[in-house]
Amino acid sequence: MEHGIRFRYLSTLCFIVLVALCGCRESEQGRRLDTGKGTYAGAPDQQLSAEAREALGRRAEYQRF
Amino acid sequence: MARMKFLCDADRCIECNACVTACKNEHEVPWGVNRRRVVTINDGQPGERSISTACMHCSDAPCMAVCPVDCFYQTDEGVVLHDKDLCIGCGYCFYACPFGAPQYPQAGNFGGRGKMDKCTFCAGGPKEDGSEEEFALYGRNRLAEGKLPLCAEMCSTKALLAGDADAVSDIYRERVTARGFGGGVWGWNTAYGSDT
Amino acid sequence: MSSRSSIAGTALDRRAFLRNSGVVAAGTALAGLVPGGRVEAADATPAGSDGIENVLSVCTHCSVGCAVTAEVQNGVWIGQEPSFDSPFNLGAHCAKGASVREHAHGERRLRYPMKLVGGRWERLDWDRAIEEVGAELERIRMTAGPDSVYWLGSAKHNNEQAYLFRKFAAFWGTNNVDHQARICHSTTVAGVANTWGYGAMTNSYNDIHNSKSIFLIGGNPAEAHPVSMVHLLKAKEKGAPFIVVDPRFTRTAAHADEYVRIRPGSDVALVWGMLWHLFENGWEDQSFIQSRVWGLDQIREEVARWTPAETERVTGVPGEQVRQITKTMAENRPGTVIWCMGGTQHTTGNNNTRAYCILQLALGNMGKAGGGTNIFRGHDNVQGATDLGVLSHTLPGYYGLSEGAWKHWARVWGVSYETLATRFSSPELMQSKGIPVSRWVDGVLEDKENLDQPESLKAMIFWGHAPNSQTRLPDMRRAMNKLDLLVVVDPYPTLTAVLHERQDGVYLLPAATQFETYGSVTASNRSLQWRERVVEPLFESKPDHEIIYRLAKQLEIDGPLFRNIEVRDDEPVIEDITREFNRGMWTIGYTGQTPERLRKHMANMRTFDRTTLKAEGGPCDGEYYGLPWPCWGNEQLAHPGTPILYDTSQAVADGGLTFRARFGVSRDGENLLADGSFSKDSEIEDGYPEFTMAMLKRLGWDGDLTEEERAAVESIAGDKTNWKTDLSGGIQRVAISHGCAPFGNAKARTVVWNFPDPVPLHREPLYTTRRDLVSDYPTYEDTRGYRVPVLYRSIQQRDYSKDYPIILTTGRLVEYEGGGDESRSNPWLAELQQEMFCEVHPRDANNAGFQDGDDIWVEGPEGGRVLVKALVTRRVDPGVAFMPFHFGGRFMGQDLRHRYPEGADPYVLGESSNTIGTYGYDSVTQMQESKVTLCRITAA
């Protein structure tokens, strides 16, 4: 009986440790957490070129039918 | 050019799913992640109508407001994009989005969420345009090539329109005038405000 | 602007991206391509070059003919762009068309030749595979005769391969050759051709823009031909009422102005009910009928019994609705009539198709822009494979199997008739229809005494054909078990590889898809398009024409077979094959579409009008896109193609036409030729028979022949040489120069005296719940045809409706095509439709005690049963159930995944609807009955 309780105790402990560890992945370290509405914090993106913008305007016409 | 919008003409949509597979094809979107899908109401009954939905690239995007790491940005063309290097896969944006756009690949232990993935309006993300890295993270950047989203460009009945807001509403208005009926532009008020 | 070309190594990374992202549905992972001959074509990107080339091909799914623009970089297919310039698809695709690039991933393709040894798949090299198959075929030929081998070809061949396949069967010495058209539109081809001459779509998808009304019966283009819907909806938006008749409220019906729910299998009754109103109200087109239609008085007699009450009793359609739709059609002319498998796949399929034609004739809607019978064919090249004769009852071009037909093709092939005849068991078998694909199972299982050939079938060659599109799968399994040899030639193993219970004697030979080869393909509207090769064949696969050549060489028939065709590195030159059939296909005008002209059309597709399909200016000025057949005469005649059949408002030289004089000049003392109707510029201003040399002489037009043409005519059959057999094309040229149609100018006939039902009749399906109608509208007596017994009355007389009270019908889903082996192996499609299901009305579900999503058993009266998911929906009526037919890989509850070669199992498996598909064949063509049977549905 006692053997059974210990087994259950150990397995629960293992489970908790596992769960805790899974929150410790490298990719999840040092992250920002900000719940207020803020400004974009990521990498800048490129602007569309003038040619691309012009081409996009023309391209829309293909959908007219 | 004003800003980019999607418009789905429900009187034309036949639920063929071309938009869905075109998206999968163009961006090699993995099984289980659906940047775009087709929703049908009154399925199998009179009044059955279908709508193709994805991220609508809202004017005042709720996802941007709720993101705890501020990984969202909106381009000059109105396209809502995000930086996957910042995203923590928390799922707040999913709860905020009125269109159910955010998707999460199964990643990590115990089915934990991976980085959020969604429709980019075929505009890639914050990596060098047309780079391998951009493709791997966000898919192809068609806008940079002067091409519109492939889902709309390949739509079987030209129900799904994409492009400059003035251009697509012009096409739709012309159609509605010619045929004398139009079920309204589904989702536009939600996405772009009531003055649209 | 950053261009695509800056992405070095994109393809490799795309594949890596896909591989890393967990696209693992079941079974093996995607990674780890097996070493193979040409695997680098799909998998590697040599460094240094960044040129992206756009290659133009055509979608390989349905018959709309959507152009596919493939972006290819260093031999790798890296992207698909919209083909905005195509007048057919205007850039559009459906789910299938938008995902064809997956062909070049080919994750679940058959990679190399394999054979079954002791129940396990073993890899072979091509030489050994061909040697072993060839040796076994020779053994069967020696012991059982050439008719014991069945050559089942494909609507997935391009035209050149289809033609070569039929020619190959001829040199093997059998007419046991067929393809999907038998079970798709054979009743259309027979019914329509016997009404007015040609058995094809008369107008085009684009011409529907001109329709003032649309009557669509037994078709669901929103799923089966999605891109056609852009044209239909355009007509609807221009004001054409859109009427959809179907037992099921389809996704197409959801867009209709009027939906008519019909009891499955009562099409003739509905059309006669409509004609009852038409005649009653005098809405028929009197002058059209008087000048261009024969036999309508006999139709009137039959129609008279189809009063509104009787029509409603048989069809279930309310009398007022029948009147309303008839009035709509009468008031909105010209209207088009469209039909698909819902009309064709019946024991009375030929009656249905003729009834639809008669409706259009009575309305005067034929030969007009906006009118016509727009018959949507099912596969990308089912029209072409039909035209090129991959059929058991004819040689290419519908020449038939008579001695004259054989002699014509012998001349084209440059061999003697006698040489060909020695390949057959007897002249009788050479000239008699072979077993159709719908009946090959009986060709194996019947005692040979019951067959009209010396021995039963011993070998079956499935060359691009899924078995699950045919009914009676449990019988098919027994037939497969009994064969000596079973060969699959296909890009995928198909259900054929796993359905049988054999331990050996099965070979799988990997065929390339149409994106890995090139050649012409015929869309439903009779236009030919030219595909270019997008990528090299994947893995060890080979294009069909190369496999045919290798087999012919092994069987030592390559010499005469390839007399006019150059072979380079074991691959016959496609253009040589096109040019060979150009020299022989006079009947339907496949003579003017040379590879050069077709390539020119592809290169200039944007110059063709999106409604008329006519080029305005540019290099193809005045021609119709894809030179829709008949494109009369030889290349020098430069005929523009015929966009609308039987349109007398145009000169024949410009694409106009009359009804064909195919059935003689008189019948029962009545004139069968046109009466005062003729095509524009015709010098004969009345009906006339088909052109022969003797007729040219009588008209005094023979002087127009050149010396060469005259000599050719003399050498063939002198005065008896006609427009079909004159290899010089002179007779056609002269007839057309006088404004005449080479095939004559006759009335359409509404009574086909040589068919079992000269006047189309309603007959109850073999398996029917309406026992009260069986005595009034009984089926046929048991008979024989196509070398096998054909049962009718002996099945219908037994009442199954007590034990099997629900009508079962079948159809397509947009995500899959045909047997689905290819589309279920495409992860982009498979993800969208992961479960085989059966649609059941809520009332039937409640009565049987199951809910939406439950597992259910659907059992058929011939012993088949399938375990599927219940989809409880009002799409179907109470008492009617629907199943899609694209699934396979599960059989009566048993999972067959482990039986596929490793890594070649489709992502999605499911029970085949045809496991419970039952007996029943059309009285003229042996089309299978797959739209009406009975079933019993219970919770699993």
Side-chain angles (χ1 to χ4, degrees), chain B:
Chain B
M1 193 168 65
R3 58 102 82 218
M4 293 290 170
K5 285 181 184 173
F6 279 124
L7 188 158
C8 185
D9 181 350
D11 293 303
R12 283 273 184 102
C13 179
I14 56 170
E15 204 195 341
C16 81
N17 280 321
C19 48
V20 177
T21 63
C23 178
K24 291 261 177 187
N25 183 346
E26 186 67 351
H27 307 298
E28 300 268 17
V29 180
W31 185 293
V33 175
N34 290 289
R35 291 183 172 189
R36 181 167 281 286
R37 78 200 116 181
V38 181
V39 176
T40 301
I41 53 163
N42 297 324
D43 196 27
Q45 297 179 55
E48 174 181 318
R49 279 291 174 271
S50 298
I51 298 281
S52 173
T53 72
C55 170
M56 289 289 278
H57 305 275
C58 300
S59 300
D60 192 9
C63 52
M64 297 181 75
V66 301
C67 179
V69 294
D70 292 330
C71 77
F72 287 95
Y73 64 104
Q74 194 154 22
T75 69
D76 293 349
E77 295 77 37
V79 177
V80 176
L81 298 173
H82 70 299
D83 185 339
K84 283 194 180 180
D85 289 342
L86 279 187
C87 174
I88 55 172
C90 69
Y92 284 15
C93 52
F94 177 78
Y95 293 106
C97 178
F99 301 103
Q103 302 280 301
Y104 301 90
Q106 297 290 301
N109 304 330
F110 303 109
R113 287 196 183 97
K115 310 279 190 190
M116 188 273 280
D117 187 81
K118 73 167 188 68
C119 162
T120 64
F121 208 85
C122 289
K127 295 286 177 192
E128 191 195 332
D129 284 356
S131 65
E132 274 178 52
E133 211 182 356
E134 182 183 48
F135 181 81
L137 282 171
Y138 306 103
R140 183 168 165 181
N141 190 338
R142 291 178 65 82
L143 289 198
E145 299 171 31
K147 296 169 184 167
L148 289 165
L150 195 64
C151 51
E153 292 203 323
M154 276 190 180
C155 174
S156 63
T157 57
K158 303 200 179 284
L160 181 63
L161 306 172
D164 178 85
D166 294 339
V168 298
S169 24
D170 187 47
I171 292 170
Y172 182 69
R173 212 168 18 241
E174 182 183 296
R175 225 182 256 177
V176 171
T177 311
R179 70 192 181 200
F181 58 89
V185 184
W186 183 86
W188 261 39
N189 286 355
T190 313
Y192 311 126
S194 54
D195 58 339
T196 58

Side-chain angles (χ1 to χ4, degrees), chain B residues 9-22 24-34 40 42-50 105 129-132 135-142 144-147 150 153-158 175 178-181, chain C residues 1-4 6-9 13-15 17-18 21-23 25 71 79-82 84 89-96 98-101 105 222 226-227 229-230 233-234 236-237 249-251 254-255 814-815 827-832 834 873-875 907-908:
Chain B
D9 181 350
D11 293 303
R12 283 273 184 102
C13 179
I14 56 170
E15 204 195 341
C16 81
N17 280 321
C19 48
V20 177
T21 63
K24 291 261 177 187
N25 183 346
E26 186 67 351
H27 307 298
E28 300 268 17
V29 180
W31 185 293
V33 175
N34 290 289
T40 301
N42 297 324
D43 196 27
Q45 297 179 55
E48 174 181 318
R49 279 291 174 271
S50 298
D129 284 356
S131 65
E132 274 178 52
F135 181 81
L137 282 171
Y138 306 103
R140 183 168 165 181
N141 190 338
R142 291 178 65 82
E145 299 171 31
K147 296 169 184 167
L150 195 64
E153 292 203 323
M154 276 190 180
C155 174
S156 63
T157 57
K158 303 200 179 284
R175 225 182 256 177
R179 70 192 181 200
F181 58 89
Chain C
M1 144 184 169
S2 158
S3 89
R4 197 72 204 289
S6 65
I7 313 170
D13 299 304
R14 285 188 160 205
R15 293 175 58 78
F17 177 54
L18 178 71
S21 55
V23 190
E71 291 180 310
Q80 250 183 280
E81 282 298 314
F84 291 123
N89 59 311
L90 326 170
H93 279 304
C94 68
K96 296 184 291 287
S99 62
V100 288
R101 189 173 66 91
H105 289 3
V227 174
M229 286 298 284
V230 75
L233 291 174
K234 193 72 188 168
K236 184 192 171 193
E237 291 174 8
F249 184 78
T250 59
R251 287 182 187 173
H255 287 270
V814 68
E815 292 85 0
W828 301 328
L829 294 169
E831 187 188 353
L832 294 169
Q834 300 183 29
T873 172
R874 292 180 194 280
R875 237 182 238 296
Y907 290 102
V908 169

Side-chain angles (χ1 to χ4, degrees), chain C residues 860-922:
Chain C
E862 291 177 3
R865 60 204 301 256
V866 294
L867 180 61
V868 300
K869 291 278 184 217
L871 177 57
V872 178
T873 172
R874 292 180 194 280
R875 237 182 238 296
V876 287
D877 243 3
V880 179
F882 164 89
M883 290 200 291
F885 74 94
H886 311 289
F887 290 82
R890 285 177 174 273
F891 188 75
M892 304 221 242
Q894 178 196 359
D895 186 359
L896 304 177
R897 192 178 287 280
H898 63 283
R899 293 179 55 84
Y900 284 90
E902 197 184 334
D905 49 328
Y907 290 102
V908 169
L909 302 182
E911 292 269 11
S912 304
S913 64
N914 276 317
T915 299
I916 59 172
T918 50
Y919 196 97
Y921 301 97
D922 176 73

